[in-house]
Amino acid sequence: MKLIKKAQAGSFESSDILILASPVEEGEGRDIQIESGVFMQYGETIEKLIHQVLDQFEVNDVQLQIHDKGAIEPVILARMETVMQRALEMQKGTMY
Amino acid sequence: MNFEDTDFRYEYLDVENPYDVKLVSNFLKENGYDYLSEAIDSTVILYNLNDELIGTGSYKNQTLKYVVVADKFRETTAFPLIVSYLSDKILADNKRCFVFTKPETSVLFEGLGFKEITRAEPLFSVLEFGYESIKTYQKNLLKRKVETKTDDVATIVVNCNPFTLGHQYLIEKAAAENEIVYLFVVEEDLSAFPFEVRLKMIKEGIAHLDNVVIIGTGPYIVSGAIFPNYFLKLESWNLISEKQAEVDVKIFAQYIVPTLGIKKRYVGTEHYCRTTRAYNEAMKKILPAVGCEVYEVDRKTIGMVTEGENKNCISASKVRLAMKEGRFNDIQDFIPEVTKKFLLSEESADIWERLKFVD
């Protein structure tokens, strides 16, 4: 699917992860920048989870900026899902 | 971001309410800041459930301001809460958000994922965060870059408020002396003439030059975010303006000069405006160190006197003053056909109107 608008989810708080997603031209691929205090230990896991959700939403062209503050797996998945739903304008029934 | 499931509650500051304003300004004063309620769009105040004031933060356009947390609550999550809340708001409408802070506190923002762009000791450090960064801007610059055979690569930064024969003269001179000229046009809409109009006048005015590349400055050169005092044209030059000018020139030196391989920057001599004159001084101090020479070109003059106090230099501010006082005939010699045409057209009616009310 193609991203409709830029969106963000998460916060700067400890144990959370902030994800900014913005649309790019078709065919540019996934540009993912991850910053994390535990990148050495969990960088690969985080990346894997991000790709997993992108696959799930069938998003191939996207720019993601990720600022992790030690979020656990379910948090990463939840934030990713939310940011995708917002960017794809699939989310209903919230303030956004 | 919401505060529902935290130990805090928040309130917006009502700028009309003197009690609220006093509360925040006292709080900020204790922490060494002077609060100017005119210089912000919105302020959020954080309390805990005992109604103690924990901290506050504000923003103006895309810049975070006055983010302060009381001493005894610094161990809590109050600071990231305030910053997430405000940056959320800013990023809903903007692609990036800036922070101006003291150099010693810049590390706190870096901890949250902000990136320092540059600093001017001992007053400012500028950081940014968001969907786009200065790297995106550099990438876009690279797309516009023209390969050259010689080292004669020049640049001019103009506001053109409005476009005068002086601007045209400076650009023509640079174009004649160099292989390529990058012409940066200030994108910020804080001037009397909107960006679209200025850009159109410039494009038409230099259509005969084929080695000039016109580029928008984005928020990084002479913008309301980086150099707010430029647009205030304060008579009194102070340390704050000086440091803002320094930040602006440093960003130019660190990010734009190397990206485009710029060797020269052309500026007009300044006789009237102290802000611009000091800006020129800052350039002369910083740019030569990164291999970019500053060429100060004498302003184009009108009339017989070309030397001394009485010479009649072309200046956009003189044009605006004449417009304000309705003396259109006095400035005929200052502006090229394209500007004249625009000023006589219907489109410029609201600009004439607006100029009447500015000081």
Side-chain angles (χ1 to χ4, degrees), chain B residues 29-314:
Chain B
K29 197 161 252 167
E30 281 166 29
N31 290 283
Y33 292 88
D34 284 325
Y35 181 75
L36 298 167
S37 60
E38 316 86 59
I40 56 124
D41 286 342
S42 167
T43 297
V44 63
I45 315 171
L46 205 62
Y47 300 94
N48 68 5
L49 301 177
N50 294 329
D51 271 348
E52 284 174 288
L53 209 162
I54 309 275
T56 165
S58 318
Y59 68 92
K60 168 88 181 170
N61 295 331
Q62 47 183 347
T63 310
L64 286 182
K65 289 184 167 181
Y66 306 123
V67 179
V68 174
V69 174
D71 250 339
K72 66 186 239 216
F73 295 103
R74 297 221 170 124
E75 302 286 301
T76 68
T77 57
F79 178 68
L81 262 176
I82 296 176
V83 176
S84 320
Y85 184 75
L86 294 173
S87 67
D88 245 36
K89 290 228 167 268
I90 294 175
L91 289 178
D93 303 322
N94 297 286
K95 286 187 173 148
R96 48 178 90 66
C97 106
F98 289 103
V99 181
F100 266 71
T101 183
K102 292 176 188 155
E104 60 265 29
T105 51
S106 112
V107 61
L108 293 174
F109 285 95
E110 278 175 327
L112 298 180
F114 280 74
K115 285 260 155 42
E116 184 172 284
I117 307 178
T118 193
R119 54 170 62 189
E121 299 279 3
L123 275 191
F124 293 130
S125 151
V126 185
L127 300 96
E128 69 173 351
F129 173 79
Y131 297 98
E132 287 190 357
S133 67
I134 194 149
K135 289 212 177 94
T136 330
Y137 186 66
Q138 280 179 308
K139 251 187 235 164
N140 291 336
L141 284 184
L142 275 180
K143 284 187 200 149
R144 307 291 307 278
K145 189 173 177 173
V146 180
E147 288 305 324
T148 52
K149 292 187 205 75
T150 60
D151 264 355
D152 293 323
V153 180
T155 177
I156 308 173
V157 178
V158 287
N159 194 5
C160 290
N161 183 31
F163 186 58
T164 65
L165 283 173
H167 295 122
Q168 200 176 31
Y169 166 75
L170 184 67
I171 298 165
E172 275 171 355
K173 185 175 159 64
E177 290 172 4
N178 293 282
E179 196 179 336
I180 191 88
V181 177
Y182 295 104
L183 181 68
F184 285 94
V185 182
V186 173
E187 249 183 276
E188 203 82 24
D189 265 334
L190 291 173
S191 303
F193 291 79
F195 175 62
E196 294 298 319
V197 171
R198 288 182 280 126
L199 193 65
K200 204 174 135 240
M201 289 191 286
I202 295 166
K203 271 189 182 152
E204 270 181 54
I206 62 161
H208 58 292
L209 303 169
D210 56 7
N211 61 341
V212 178
V213 181
I214 302 178
I215 306 177
T217 56
Y220 296 110
I221 316 171
V222 195
S223 74
I226 304 277
F227 195 176
N229 284 14
Y230 178 83
F231 297 95
L232 299 176
K233 298 280 182 201
L234 296 175
E235 271 311 303
S236 60
W237 180 258
N238 54 26
L239 190 63
I240 295 175
S241 309
E242 191 182 318
K243 288 295 164 187
Q244 281 178 4
E246 189 180 321
V247 164
D248 188 280
V249 178
K250 272 189 170 167
I251 292 176
F252 187 80
Q254 282 174 15
Y255 297 93
I256 294 164
V257 168
T259 310
L260 293 175
I262 292 162
K263 300 283 179 234
K264 303 171 190 174
R265 178 159 170 176
Y266 283 72
V267 295
T269 47
E270 185 60 50
H271 304 285
Y272 309 110
C273 169
R274 287 196 66 187
T275 311
T276 316
R277 195 157 60 205
Y279 184 44
N280 287 355
E281 290 307 312
M283 275 188 244
K284 283 188 213 156
K285 220 167 57 191
I286 296 166
L287 290 182
V290 292
C292 175
E293 291 304 320
V294 179
Y295 287 69
E296 214 168 9
V297 178
D298 274 329
R299 283 198 178 219
K300 194 176 164 78
T301 53
I302 294 294
M304 304 301 279
V305 193
T306 54
E307 292 291 329
E309 283 291 299
N310 294 323
K311 64 183 175 181
N312 192 11
C313 294
I314 298 179

